Amino acid sequence: MGVYLVSVGAEEWFGDEEDGWGAVASALNAELRRRGLPPYEDVPPETEFARGSGQAFEEKLTPSMTGFLALCQMHLSREETEILCGWAVLLPFSLDEEIWLPIDSGDHETMVVGAPQVLPLAEKLAAAVDLPPETPATCDNLDLSMWFRHQAQELATTRTGAWSKDLDTAFYVALFLRAAEHSIRRGCPIVCT
């Protein structure tokens, strides 16, 4: 168990099954229409899993977030921090402001944000920690988690820097950066589940 960030294909996004996101999709489209915006209907289908293809996104939030939240406090406003890491649904298009949906996602309403708003915040933190270029660009199946557990440990011994001082913090910087990039690149939602 645990908390995951995962990309969602059209079948699951519009699905009414227990693990589907149909209620969120419907509520979101109603809110977009209320704001005079087109509904979000162009969700790509889920693709067959192929490691390294960049067609899916799945990462588990397991390390401590303490250092990451401290980094956010140093470089972002409280509102920016909320946009960066307080969402339950990340969309591939811009929103003027976050959307709060009356769909329960645990103990509060569902916050929806646009990946184009998350991306510059994540890029700012990536620059602050000097995230290394070797950090995986795609995260099909826990690729970031595995890289930070193994290759990053080795790389940190030869290429020191702000990123190598706290690998848990660097993991979360990379996680939110890659989630926003993936959502925009694939045109798909990413959900916190």
Side-chain angles (χ1 to χ4, degrees), residues 4-9 12-13 21 24 40 43-44 54-59 61 87-93 110-115 118 139 175-193:
Y4 288 82
L5 296 186
V6 296
S7 57
V8 177
E12 190 177 348
W13 181 249
W21 288 83
V24 170
Y40 176 44
V43 180
Q55 298 299 302
F57 187 97
E58 179 182 354
E59 287 294 336
L61 284 66
W87 52 267
V89 178
L90 184 67
L91 299 175
F93 53 86
T110 298
M111 185 171 113
V112 181
V113 300
V118 168
C139 309
L175 174 71
F176 288 107
L177 176 66
R178 298 306 188 222
E181 290 172 343
H182 181 89
S183 179
I184 293 167
R185 184 178 68 250
R186 286 276 295 135
C188 70
I190 294 185
V191 299
C192 183
T193 184

mmCIF file of all heavy atoms in Angstrom, residues 4-9 12-13 21 24 40 43-44 54-59 61 87-93 110-115 118 139 175-193:
data_model
loop_
_atom_site.group_PDB
_atom_site.id
_atom_site.type_symbol
_atom_site.label_atom_id
_atom_site.label_comp_id
_atom_site.label_asym_id
_atom_site.label_seq_id
_atom_site.Cartn_x
_atom_site.Cartn_y
_atom_site.Cartn_z
ATOM 1 N N TYR A 4 0.674 6.755 -4.306
ATOM 2 C CA TYR A 4 1.306 6.712 -5.616
ATOM 3 C C TYR A 4 0.870 7.906 -6.452
ATOM 4 O O TYR A 4 -0.251 8.397 -6.306
ATOM 5 C CB TYR A 4 0.898 5.447 -6.381
ATOM 6 C CG TYR A 4 1.489 4.174 -5.861
ATOM 7 C CD1 TYR A 4 0.921 3.509 -4.775
ATOM 8 C CD2 TYR A 4 2.611 3.609 -6.460
ATOM 9 C CE1 TYR A 4 1.458 2.327 -4.302
ATOM 10 C CE2 TYR A 4 3.150 2.433 -5.999
ATOM 11 C CZ TYR A 4 2.575 1.789 -4.917
ATOM 12 O OH TYR A 4 3.114 0.627 -4.451
ATOM 13 N N LEU A 5 1.748 8.343 -7.342
ATOM 14 C CA LEU A 5 1.373 9.241 -8.427
ATOM 15 C C LEU A 5 1.383 8.391 -9.684
ATOM 16 O O LEU A 5 2.408 7.767 -10.009
ATOM 17 C CB LEU A 5 2.365 10.389 -8.579
ATOM 18 C CG LEU A 5 2.503 11.379 -7.423
ATOM 19 C CD1 LEU A 5 3.431 12.521 -7.822
ATOM 20 C CD2 LEU A 5 1.169 11.904 -6.969
ATOM 21 N N VAL A 6 0.253 8.325 -10.377
ATOM 22 C CA VAL A 6 0.141 7.471 -11.561
ATOM 23 C C VAL A 6 -0.584 8.207 -12.676
ATOM 24 O O VAL A 6 -1.483 9.013 -12.428
ATOM 25 C CB VAL A 6 -0.592 6.141 -11.260
ATOM 26 C CG1 VAL A 6 0.173 5.291 -10.277
ATOM 27 C CG2 VAL A 6 -2.001 6.388 -10.761
ATOM 28 N N SER A 7 -0.173 7.918 -13.898
ATOM 29 C CA SER A 7 -0.895 8.454 -15.051
ATOM 30 C C SER A 7 -2.149 7.609 -15.265
ATOM 31 O O SER A 7 -2.191 6.431 -14.905
ATOM 32 C CB SER A 7 -0.008 8.435 -16.291
ATOM 33 O OG SER A 7 0.459 7.124 -16.564
ATOM 34 N N VAL A 8 -3.152 8.240 -15.838
ATOM 35 C CA VAL A 8 -4.433 7.582 -16.039
ATOM 36 C C VAL A 8 -4.824 7.700 -17.504
ATOM 37 O O VAL A 8 -4.780 8.796 -18.079
ATOM 38 C CB VAL A 8 -5.515 8.228 -15.143
ATOM 39 C CG1 VAL A 8 -6.874 7.602 -15.383
ATOM 40 C CG2 VAL A 8 -5.139 8.117 -13.675
ATOM 41 N N GLY A 9 -5.216 6.568 -18.097
ATOM 42 C CA GLY A 9 -5.699 6.552 -19.471
ATOM 43 C C GLY A 9 -7.198 6.819 -19.516
ATOM 44 O O GLY A 9 -7.882 6.857 -18.485
ATOM 45 N N GLU A 12 -9.826 4.455 -17.601
ATOM 46 C CA GLU A 12 -9.918 4.625 -16.155
ATOM 47 C C GLU A 12 -10.419 6.024 -15.788
ATOM 48 O O GLU A 12 -11.160 6.199 -14.829
ATOM 49 C CB GLU A 12 -8.553 4.370 -15.506
ATOM 50 C CG GLU A 12 -8.608 4.294 -14.005
ATOM 51 C CD GLU A 12 -7.254 3.975 -13.376
ATOM 52 O OE1 GLU A 12 -6.313 3.598 -14.099
ATOM 53 O OE2 GLU A 12 -7.158 4.116 -12.155
ATOM 54 N N TRP A 13 -10.023 7.032 -16.562
ATOM 55 C CA TRP A 13 -10.427 8.413 -16.275
ATOM 56 C C TRP A 13 -11.947 8.575 -16.361
ATOM 57 O O TRP A 13 -12.574 9.206 -15.523
ATOM 58 C CB TRP A 13 -9.735 9.371 -17.234
ATOM 59 C CG TRP A 13 -10.069 10.805 -16.998
ATOM 60 C CD1 TRP A 13 -10.800 11.615 -17.820
ATOM 61 C CD2 TRP A 13 -9.703 11.613 -15.880
ATOM 62 N NE1 TRP A 13 -10.908 12.875 -17.281
ATOM 63 C CE2 TRP A 13 -10.242 12.897 -16.078
ATOM 64 C CE3 TRP A 13 -8.969 11.376 -14.711
ATOM 65 C CZ2 TRP A 13 -10.078 13.942 -15.177
ATOM 66 C CZ3 TRP A 13 -8.800 12.419 -13.812
ATOM 67 C CH2 TRP A 13 -9.348 13.679 -14.042
ATOM 68 N N TRP A 21 -12.024 6.997 -12.250
ATOM 69 C CA TRP A 21 -12.032 8.414 -11.902
ATOM 70 C C TRP A 21 -13.203 9.139 -12.546
ATOM 71 O O TRP A 21 -13.187 10.363 -12.701
ATOM 72 C CB TRP A 21 -10.696 9.039 -12.308
ATOM 73 C CG TRP A 21 -9.593 8.582 -11.415
ATOM 74 C CD1 TRP A 21 -8.878 7.413 -11.519
ATOM 75 C CD2 TRP A 21 -9.108 9.236 -10.251
ATOM 76 N NE1 TRP A 21 -7.986 7.315 -10.496
ATOM 77 C CE2 TRP A 21 -8.096 8.432 -9.702
ATOM 78 C CE3 TRP A 21 -9.428 10.439 -9.627
ATOM 79 C CZ2 TRP A 21 -7.404 8.783 -8.554
ATOM 80 C CZ3 TRP A 21 -8.731 10.800 -8.484
ATOM 81 C CH2 TRP A 21 -7.735 9.966 -7.958
ATOM 82 N N VAL A 24 -14.740 12.152 -10.714
ATOM 83 C CA VAL A 24 -13.857 13.323 -10.785
ATOM 84 C C VAL A 24 -13.912 13.932 -12.180
ATOM 85 O O VAL A 24 -14.015 15.157 -12.330
ATOM 86 C CB VAL A 24 -12.409 12.953 -10.395
ATOM 87 C CG1 VAL A 24 -11.446 14.087 -10.701
ATOM 88 C CG2 VAL A 24 -12.333 12.568 -8.926
ATOM 89 N N TYR A 40 -12.654 18.568 -20.561
ATOM 90 C CA TYR A 40 -11.433 17.785 -20.803
ATOM 91 C C TYR A 40 -11.857 16.384 -21.228
ATOM 92 O O TYR A 40 -12.217 15.558 -20.403
ATOM 93 C CB TYR A 40 -10.589 17.744 -19.527
ATOM 94 C CG TYR A 40 -9.341 16.896 -19.617
ATOM 95 C CD1 TYR A 40 -8.505 16.932 -20.725
ATOM 96 C CD2 TYR A 40 -8.989 16.061 -18.567
ATOM 97 C CE1 TYR A 40 -7.358 16.170 -20.793
ATOM 98 C CE2 TYR A 40 -7.837 15.296 -18.618
ATOM 99 C CZ TYR A 40 -7.023 15.349 -19.733
ATOM 100 O OH TYR A 40 -5.882 14.587 -19.791
ATOM 101 N N VAL A 43 -8.491 12.592 -23.518
ATOM 102 C CA VAL A 43 -7.552 11.827 -22.687
ATOM 103 C C VAL A 43 -7.054 10.648 -23.519
ATOM 104 O O VAL A 43 -7.854 9.894 -24.068
ATOM 105 C CB VAL A 43 -8.253 11.319 -21.404
ATOM 106 C CG1 VAL A 43 -7.288 10.528 -20.548
ATOM 107 C CG2 VAL A 43 -8.850 12.485 -20.629
ATOM 108 N N PRO A 44 -5.732 10.484 -23.632
ATOM 109 C CA PRO A 44 -5.231 9.373 -24.450
ATOM 110 C C PRO A 44 -5.532 8.026 -23.790
ATOM 111 O O PRO A 44 -5.622 7.927 -22.567
ATOM 112 C CB PRO A 44 -3.718 9.621 -24.517
ATOM 113 C CG PRO A 44 -3.411 10.461 -23.328
ATOM 114 C CD PRO A 44 -4.643 11.266 -23.038
ATOM 115 N N GLY A 54 8.182 5.722 -21.793
ATOM 116 C CA GLY A 54 7.665 7.039 -21.429
ATOM 117 C C GLY A 54 6.177 7.187 -21.648
ATOM 118 O O GLY A 54 5.655 8.292 -21.648
ATOM 119 N N GLN A 55 5.478 6.072 -21.814
ATOM 120 C CA GLN A 55 4.039 6.118 -22.066
ATOM 121 C C GLN A 55 3.201 6.057 -20.791
ATOM 122 O O GLN A 55 2.001 6.322 -20.824
ATOM 123 C CB GLN A 55 3.630 4.967 -22.992
ATOM 124 C CG GLN A 55 4.297 5.036 -24.350
ATOM 125 C CD GLN A 55 3.937 6.310 -25.093
ATOM 126 O OE1 GLN A 55 2.778 6.600 -25.341
ATOM 127 N NE2 GLN A 55 4.938 7.108 -25.428
ATOM 128 N N ALA A 56 3.818 5.682 -19.672
ATOM 129 C CA ALA A 56 3.098 5.584 -18.401
ATOM 130 C C ALA A 56 3.927 6.283 -17.327
ATOM 131 O O ALA A 56 5.120 6.525 -17.501
ATOM 132 C CB ALA A 56 2.872 4.116 -18.029
ATOM 133 N N PHE A 57 3.276 6.593 -16.215
ATOM 134 C CA PHE A 57 3.968 7.210 -15.085
ATOM 135 C C PHE A 57 3.466 6.532 -13.825
ATOM 136 O O PHE A 57 2.263 6.434 -13.602
ATOM 137 C CB PHE A 57 3.668 8.714 -15.015
ATOM 138 C CG PHE A 57 4.474 9.445 -13.971
ATOM 139 C CD1 PHE A 57 5.634 10.106 -14.323
ATOM 140 C CD2 PHE A 57 4.075 9.462 -12.645
ATOM 141 C CE1 PHE A 57 6.393 10.782 -13.371
ATOM 142 C CE2 PHE A 57 4.822 10.140 -11.685
ATOM 143 C CZ PHE A 57 5.979 10.795 -12.043
ATOM 144 N N GLU A 58 4.396 6.054 -13.006
ATOM 145 C CA GLU A 58 4.026 5.458 -11.718
ATOM 146 C C GLU A 58 5.198 5.596 -10.762
ATOM 147 O O GLU A 58 6.283 5.105 -11.033
ATOM 148 C CB GLU A 58 3.666 3.978 -11.858
ATOM 149 C CG GLU A 58 3.307 3.351 -10.531
ATOM 150 C CD GLU A 58 2.979 1.865 -10.624
ATOM 151 O OE1 GLU A 58 2.914 1.330 -11.748
ATOM 152 O OE2 GLU A 58 2.804 1.243 -9.566
ATOM 153 N N GLU A 59 4.972 6.294 -9.671
ATOM 154 C CA GLU A 59 5.974 6.429 -8.623
ATOM 155 C C GLU A 59 5.289 6.385 -7.264
ATOM 156 O O GLU A 59 4.177 6.877 -7.108
ATOM 157 C CB GLU A 59 6.751 7.735 -8.759
ATOM 158 C CG GLU A 59 7.740 7.763 -9.900
ATOM 159 C CD GLU A 59 8.899 6.786 -9.753
ATOM 160 O OE1 GLU A 59 9.229 6.395 -8.623
ATOM 161 O OE2 GLU A 59 9.484 6.421 -10.792
ATOM 162 N N LEU A 61 5.343 7.402 -3.230
ATOM 163 C CA LEU A 61 5.850 8.418 -2.312
ATOM 164 C C LEU A 61 6.255 7.727 -1.008
ATOM 165 O O LEU A 61 5.451 7.620 -0.096
ATOM 166 C CB LEU A 61 4.790 9.490 -2.041
ATOM 167 C CG LEU A 61 4.566 10.516 -3.145
ATOM 168 C CD1 LEU A 61 3.977 9.905 -4.394
ATOM 169 C CD2 LEU A 61 3.665 11.620 -2.644
ATOM 170 N N TRP A 87 -1.851 18.804 -4.847
ATOM 171 C CA TRP A 87 -2.899 18.348 -5.760
ATOM 172 C C TRP A 87 -3.208 16.858 -5.619
ATOM 173 O O TRP A 87 -2.365 16.070 -5.222
ATOM 174 C CB TRP A 87 -2.536 18.673 -7.213
ATOM 175 C CG TRP A 87 -1.178 18.206 -7.656
ATOM 176 C CD1 TRP A 87 -0.016 18.930 -7.617
ATOM 177 C CD2 TRP A 87 -0.826 16.931 -8.194
ATOM 178 N NE1 TRP A 87 1.025 18.178 -8.104
ATOM 179 C CE2 TRP A 87 0.561 16.952 -8.465
ATOM 180 C CE3 TRP A 87 -1.541 15.771 -8.474
ATOM 181 C CZ2 TRP A 87 1.233 15.857 -9.004
ATOM 182 C CZ3 TRP A 87 -0.875 14.679 -9.005
ATOM 183 C CH2 TRP A 87 0.492 14.734 -9.270
ATOM 184 N N ALA A 88 -4.436 16.525 -6.011
ATOM 185 C CA ALA A 88 -4.836 15.121 -6.133
ATOM 186 C C ALA A 88 -4.941 14.732 -7.599
ATOM 187 O O ALA A 88 -4.846 13.565 -7.945
ATOM 188 C CB ALA A 88 -6.172 14.875 -5.435
ATOM 189 N N VAL A 89 -5.150 15.745 -8.471
ATOM 190 C CA VAL A 89 -5.235 15.513 -9.916
ATOM 191 C C VAL A 89 -4.426 16.593 -10.621
ATOM 192 O O VAL A 89 -4.602 17.786 -10.363
ATOM 193 C CB VAL A 89 -6.702 15.553 -10.417
ATOM 194 C CG1 VAL A 89 -6.756 15.361 -11.927
ATOM 195 C CG2 VAL A 89 -7.556 14.495 -9.713
ATOM 196 N N LEU A 90 -3.545 16.149 -11.517
ATOM 197 C CA LEU A 90 -2.712 17.031 -12.324
ATOM 198 C C LEU A 90 -3.169 16.907 -13.771
ATOM 199 O O LEU A 90 -3.207 15.801 -14.312
ATOM 200 C CB LEU A 90 -1.240 16.621 -12.179
ATOM 201 C CG LEU A 90 -0.195 17.474 -12.869
ATOM 202 C CD1 LEU A 90 -0.129 18.864 -12.238
ATOM 203 C CD2 LEU A 90 1.177 16.792 -12.777
ATOM 204 N N LEU A 91 -3.527 18.042 -14.383
ATOM 205 C CA LEU A 91 -4.021 18.042 -15.758
ATOM 206 C C LEU A 91 -2.959 18.580 -16.710
ATOM 207 O O LEU A 91 -2.129 19.399 -16.316
ATOM 208 C CB LEU A 91 -5.272 18.922 -15.855
ATOM 209 C CG LEU A 91 -6.451 18.475 -15.000
ATOM 210 C CD1 LEU A 91 -7.588 19.494 -15.095
ATOM 211 C CD2 LEU A 91 -6.936 17.092 -15.408
ATOM 212 N N PRO A 92 -3.021 18.176 -17.990
ATOM 213 C CA PRO A 92 -1.965 18.576 -18.926
ATOM 214 C C PRO A 92 -2.120 19.976 -19.511
ATOM 215 O O PRO A 92 -1.338 20.364 -20.366
ATOM 216 C CB PRO A 92 -2.078 17.518 -20.027
ATOM 217 C CG PRO A 92 -3.504 17.122 -20.014
ATOM 218 C CD PRO A 92 -3.925 17.182 -18.567
ATOM 219 N N PHE A 93 -3.095 20.742 -19.069
ATOM 220 C CA PHE A 93 -3.313 22.069 -19.630
ATOM 221 C C PHE A 93 -3.367 23.112 -18.519
ATOM 222 O O PHE A 93 -3.539 22.787 -17.346
ATOM 223 C CB PHE A 93 -4.587 22.107 -20.485
ATOM 224 C CG PHE A 93 -5.816 21.607 -19.777
ATOM 225 C CD1 PHE A 93 -6.592 22.447 -18.987
ATOM 226 C CD2 PHE A 93 -6.201 20.270 -19.903
ATOM 227 C CE1 PHE A 93 -7.718 21.984 -18.334
ATOM 228 C CE2 PHE A 93 -7.322 19.796 -19.254
ATOM 229 C CZ PHE A 93 -8.085 20.657 -18.466
ATOM 230 N N THR A 110 -11.065 17.319 -3.536
ATOM 231 C CA THR A 110 -10.038 17.021 -4.528
ATOM 232 C C THR A 110 -9.532 18.307 -5.160
ATOM 233 O O THR A 110 -10.304 19.060 -5.752
ATOM 234 C CB THR A 110 -10.622 16.097 -5.620
ATOM 235 O OG1 THR A 110 -11.024 14.869 -4.998
ATOM 236 C CG2 THR A 110 -9.606 15.805 -6.701
ATOM 237 N N MET A 111 -8.217 18.561 -5.024
ATOM 238 C CA MET A 111 -7.621 19.735 -5.655
ATOM 239 C C MET A 111 -7.038 19.341 -7.012
ATOM 240 O O MET A 111 -6.284 18.382 -7.124
ATOM 241 C CB MET A 111 -6.509 20.328 -4.786
ATOM 242 C CG MET A 111 -5.958 21.626 -5.350
ATOM 243 S SD MET A 111 -4.830 22.445 -4.209
ATOM 244 C CE MET A 111 -3.310 22.296 -5.103
ATOM 245 N N VAL A 112 -7.406 20.105 -8.032
ATOM 246 C CA VAL A 112 -6.968 19.871 -9.403
ATOM 247 C C VAL A 112 -6.132 21.068 -9.835
ATOM 248 O O VAL A 112 -6.540 22.216 -9.640
ATOM 249 C CB VAL A 112 -8.185 19.715 -10.341
ATOM 250 C CG1 VAL A 112 -7.737 19.453 -11.766
ATOM 251 C CG2 VAL A 112 -9.110 18.605 -9.847
ATOM 252 N N VAL A 113 -4.955 20.808 -10.399
ATOM 253 C CA VAL A 113 -4.092 21.884 -10.897
ATOM 254 C C VAL A 113 -3.604 21.527 -12.299
ATOM 255 O O VAL A 113 -3.666 20.377 -12.721
ATOM 256 C CB VAL A 113 -2.878 22.153 -9.969
ATOM 257 C CG1 VAL A 113 -3.330 22.566 -8.580
ATOM 258 C CG2 VAL A 113 -1.957 20.967 -9.904
ATOM 259 N N GLY A 114 -3.098 22.542 -12.995
ATOM 260 C CA GLY A 114 -2.552 22.341 -14.326
ATOM 261 C C GLY A 114 -1.058 22.092 -14.281
ATOM 262 O O GLY A 114 -0.321 22.781 -13.566
ATOM 263 N N ALA A 115 -0.598 21.116 -15.038
ATOM 264 C CA ALA A 115 0.837 20.814 -15.103
ATOM 265 C C ALA A 115 1.664 22.016 -15.562
ATOM 266 O O ALA A 115 2.777 22.210 -15.077
ATOM 267 C CB ALA A 115 1.085 19.601 -15.998
ATOM 268 N N VAL A 118 2.562 23.764 -12.470
ATOM 269 C CA VAL A 118 3.457 22.995 -11.603
ATOM 270 C C VAL A 118 4.879 22.981 -12.157
ATOM 271 O O VAL A 118 5.847 23.091 -11.408
ATOM 272 C CB VAL A 118 2.918 21.555 -11.422
ATOM 273 C CG1 VAL A 118 3.953 20.643 -10.773
ATOM 274 C CG2 VAL A 118 1.634 21.573 -10.597
ATOM 275 N N CYS A 139 9.317 7.723 -16.133
ATOM 276 C CA CYS A 139 9.080 7.028 -14.861
ATOM 277 C C CYS A 139 7.969 6.002 -15.049
ATOM 278 O O CYS A 139 6.899 6.091 -14.442
ATOM 279 C CB CYS A 139 8.692 8.040 -13.789
ATOM 280 S SG CYS A 139 9.829 9.422 -13.690
ATOM 281 N N LEU A 175 10.460 13.919 -8.751
ATOM 282 C CA LEU A 175 9.117 13.348 -8.872
ATOM 283 C C LEU A 175 8.123 14.374 -9.421
ATOM 284 O O LEU A 175 7.416 14.106 -10.398
ATOM 285 C CB LEU A 175 8.649 12.844 -7.505
ATOM 286 C CG LEU A 175 7.205 12.346 -7.446
ATOM 287 C CD1 LEU A 175 7.079 11.026 -8.184
ATOM 288 C CD2 LEU A 175 6.764 12.189 -6.000
ATOM 289 N N PHE A 176 8.063 15.552 -8.803
ATOM 290 C CA PHE A 176 7.087 16.543 -9.253
ATOM 291 C C PHE A 176 7.471 17.142 -10.602
ATOM 292 O O PHE A 176 6.594 17.455 -11.419
ATOM 293 C CB PHE A 176 6.885 17.612 -8.183
ATOM 294 C CG PHE A 176 6.120 17.077 -6.996
ATOM 295 C CD1 PHE A 176 6.758 16.833 -5.796
ATOM 296 C CD2 PHE A 176 4.770 16.782 -7.093
ATOM 297 C CE1 PHE A 176 6.064 16.311 -4.707
ATOM 298 C CE2 PHE A 176 4.059 16.268 -6.019
ATOM 299 C CZ PHE A 176 4.705 16.033 -4.824
ATOM 300 N N LEU A 177 8.760 17.255 -10.876
ATOM 301 C CA LEU A 177 9.222 17.712 -12.179
ATOM 302 C C LEU A 177 8.805 16.734 -13.271
ATOM 303 O O LEU A 177 8.200 17.113 -14.272
ATOM 304 C CB LEU A 177 10.746 17.877 -12.165
ATOM 305 C CG LEU A 177 11.404 18.263 -13.482
ATOM 306 C CD1 LEU A 177 10.987 19.663 -13.913
ATOM 307 C CD2 LEU A 177 12.930 18.166 -13.356
ATOM 308 N N ARG A 178 9.109 15.468 -13.064
ATOM 309 C CA ARG A 178 8.796 14.459 -14.086
ATOM 310 C C ARG A 178 7.296 14.242 -14.232
ATOM 311 O O ARG A 178 6.811 13.954 -15.335
ATOM 312 C CB ARG A 178 9.504 13.139 -13.774
ATOM 313 C CG ARG A 178 11.026 13.217 -13.776
ATOM 314 C CD ARG A 178 11.588 13.794 -15.053
ATOM 315 N NE ARG A 178 13.034 13.687 -15.094
ATOM 316 C CZ ARG A 178 13.832 14.642 -15.514
ATOM 317 N NH1 ARG A 178 13.340 15.784 -15.967
ATOM 318 N NH2 ARG A 178 15.137 14.471 -15.517
ATOM 319 N N ALA A 179 6.537 14.357 -13.150
ATOM 320 C CA ALA A 179 5.072 14.215 -13.246
ATOM 321 C C ALA A 179 4.502 15.308 -14.146
ATOM 322 O O ALA A 179 3.681 15.034 -15.029
ATOM 323 C CB ALA A 179 4.444 14.263 -11.859
ATOM 324 N N ALA A 180 4.926 16.555 -13.932
ATOM 325 C CA ALA A 180 4.424 17.659 -14.753
ATOM 326 C C ALA A 180 4.848 17.479 -16.214
ATOM 327 O O ALA A 180 4.037 17.670 -17.134
ATOM 328 C CB ALA A 180 4.926 18.992 -14.206
ATOM 329 N N GLU A 181 6.101 17.108 -16.429
ATOM 330 C CA GLU A 181 6.581 16.897 -17.803
ATOM 331 C C GLU A 181 5.798 15.789 -18.492
ATOM 332 O O GLU A 181 5.420 15.909 -19.658
ATOM 333 C CB GLU A 181 8.075 16.563 -17.793
ATOM 334 C CG GLU A 181 8.964 17.718 -17.409
ATOM 335 C CD GLU A 181 10.417 17.328 -17.216
ATOM 336 O OE1 GLU A 181 10.723 16.122 -17.051
ATOM 337 O OE2 GLU A 181 11.258 18.244 -17.211
ATOM 338 N N HIS A 182 5.560 14.697 -17.766
ATOM 339 C CA HIS A 182 4.835 13.562 -18.349
ATOM 340 C C HIS A 182 3.406 13.963 -18.717
ATOM 341 O O HIS A 182 2.930 13.646 -19.803
ATOM 342 C CB HIS A 182 4.823 12.370 -17.390
ATOM 343 C CG HIS A 182 4.115 11.188 -17.960
ATOM 344 N ND1 HIS A 182 4.757 10.235 -18.711
ATOM 345 C CD2 HIS A 182 2.805 10.816 -17.924
ATOM 346 C CE1 HIS A 182 3.884 9.326 -19.105
ATOM 347 N NE2 HIS A 182 2.685 9.659 -18.632
ATOM 348 N N SER A 183 2.726 14.633 -17.806
ATOM 349 C CA SER A 183 1.347 15.042 -18.061
ATOM 350 C C SER A 183 1.257 15.900 -19.319
ATOM 351 O O SER A 183 0.389 15.670 -20.174
ATOM 352 C CB SER A 183 0.795 15.801 -16.854
ATOM 353 O OG SER A 183 -0.524 16.220 -17.091
ATOM 354 N N ILE A 184 2.156 16.855 -19.456
ATOM 355 C CA ILE A 184 2.155 17.736 -20.625
ATOM 356 C C ILE A 184 2.530 16.953 -21.886
ATOM 357 O O ILE A 184 1.869 17.083 -22.929
ATOM 358 C CB ILE A 184 3.116 18.923 -20.414
ATOM 359 C CG1 ILE A 184 2.584 19.838 -19.302
ATOM 360 C CG2 ILE A 184 3.320 19.697 -21.710
ATOM 361 C CD1 ILE A 184 3.581 20.861 -18.786
ATOM 362 N N ARG A 185 3.566 16.136 -21.808
ATOM 363 C CA ARG A 185 4.043 15.390 -22.980
ATOM 364 C C ARG A 185 2.980 14.415 -23.504
ATOM 365 O O ARG A 185 2.723 14.341 -24.701
ATOM 366 C CB ARG A 185 5.331 14.640 -22.643
ATOM 367 C CG ARG A 185 5.949 13.906 -23.844
ATOM 368 C CD ARG A 185 7.254 13.202 -23.506
ATOM 369 N NE ARG A 185 7.050 12.088 -22.598
ATOM 370 C CZ ARG A 185 7.443 12.057 -21.322
ATOM 371 N NH1 ARG A 185 8.050 13.082 -20.776
ATOM 372 N NH2 ARG A 185 7.221 11.001 -20.574
ATOM 373 N N ARG A 186 2.348 13.672 -22.590
ATOM 374 C CA ARG A 186 1.370 12.654 -22.996
ATOM 375 C C ARG A 186 -0.054 13.199 -23.090
ATOM 376 O O ARG A 186 -0.941 12.549 -23.634
ATOM 377 C CB ARG A 186 1.383 11.495 -21.998
ATOM 378 C CG ARG A 186 2.578 10.604 -22.109
ATOM 379 C CD ARG A 186 2.426 9.535 -23.180
ATOM 380 N NE ARG A 186 1.345 8.616 -22.826
ATOM 381 C CZ ARG A 186 0.421 8.199 -23.690
ATOM 382 N NH1 ARG A 186 0.435 8.583 -24.934
ATOM 383 N NH2 ARG A 186 -0.526 7.375 -23.286
ATOM 384 N N GLY A 187 -0.302 14.377 -22.530
ATOM 385 C CA GLY A 187 -1.648 14.933 -22.550
ATOM 386 C C GLY A 187 -2.605 14.181 -21.654
ATOM 387 O O GLY A 187 -3.807 14.134 -21.907
ATOM 388 N N CYS A 188 -2.057 13.611 -20.579
ATOM 389 C CA CYS A 188 -2.886 12.771 -19.703
ATOM 390 C C CYS A 188 -2.924 13.322 -18.287
ATOM 391 O O CYS A 188 -2.028 14.052 -17.876
ATOM 392 C CB CYS A 188 -2.365 11.341 -19.687
ATOM 393 S SG CYS A 188 -0.792 11.166 -18.843
ATOM 394 N N PRO A 189 -3.950 12.938 -17.529
ATOM 395 C CA PRO A 189 -3.962 13.308 -16.123
ATOM 396 C C PRO A 189 -3.024 12.409 -15.324
ATOM 397 O O PRO A 189 -2.764 11.263 -15.708
ATOM 398 C CB PRO A 189 -5.412 13.084 -15.688
ATOM 399 C CG PRO A 189 -5.958 12.098 -16.657
ATOM 400 C CD PRO A 189 -5.165 12.238 -17.921
ATOM 401 N N ILE A 190 -2.516 12.949 -14.227
ATOM 402 C CA ILE A 190 -1.785 12.173 -13.238
ATOM 403 C C ILE A 190 -2.537 12.351 -11.942
ATOM 404 O O ILE A 190 -2.947 13.458 -11.601
ATOM 405 C CB ILE A 190 -0.323 12.598 -13.132
ATOM 406 C CG1 ILE A 190 0.398 12.264 -14.444
ATOM 407 C CG2 ILE A 190 0.365 11.936 -11.940
ATOM 408 C CD1 ILE A 190 1.872 12.508 -14.455
ATOM 409 N N VAL A 191 -2.742 11.259 -11.230
ATOM 410 C CA VAL A 191 -3.529 11.308 -10.013
ATOM 411 C C VAL A 191 -2.709 10.805 -8.833
ATOM 412 O O VAL A 191 -1.796 10.002 -8.985
ATOM 413 C CB VAL A 191 -4.833 10.481 -10.147
ATOM 414 C CG1 VAL A 191 -5.709 11.033 -11.253
ATOM 415 C CG2 VAL A 191 -4.527 9.014 -10.376
ATOM 416 N N CYS A 192 -3.059 11.317 -7.676
ATOM 417 C CA CYS A 192 -2.471 10.868 -6.430
ATOM 418 C C CYS A 192 -3.444 9.869 -5.834
ATOM 419 O O CYS A 192 -4.600 10.189 -5.575
ATOM 420 C CB CYS A 192 -2.285 12.080 -5.504
ATOM 421 S SG CYS A 192 -1.475 11.671 -3.961
ATOM 422 N N THR A 193 -2.996 8.652 -5.665
ATOM 423 C CA THR A 193 -3.896 7.603 -5.207
ATOM 424 C C THR A 193 -3.253 6.728 -4.158
ATOM 425 O O THR A 193 -2.050 6.666 -4.060
ATOM 426 C CB THR A 193 -4.388 6.767 -6.404
ATOM 427 O OG1 THR A 193 -5.322 5.807 -5.975
ATOM 428 C CG2 THR A 193 -3.251 6.070 -7.104
#
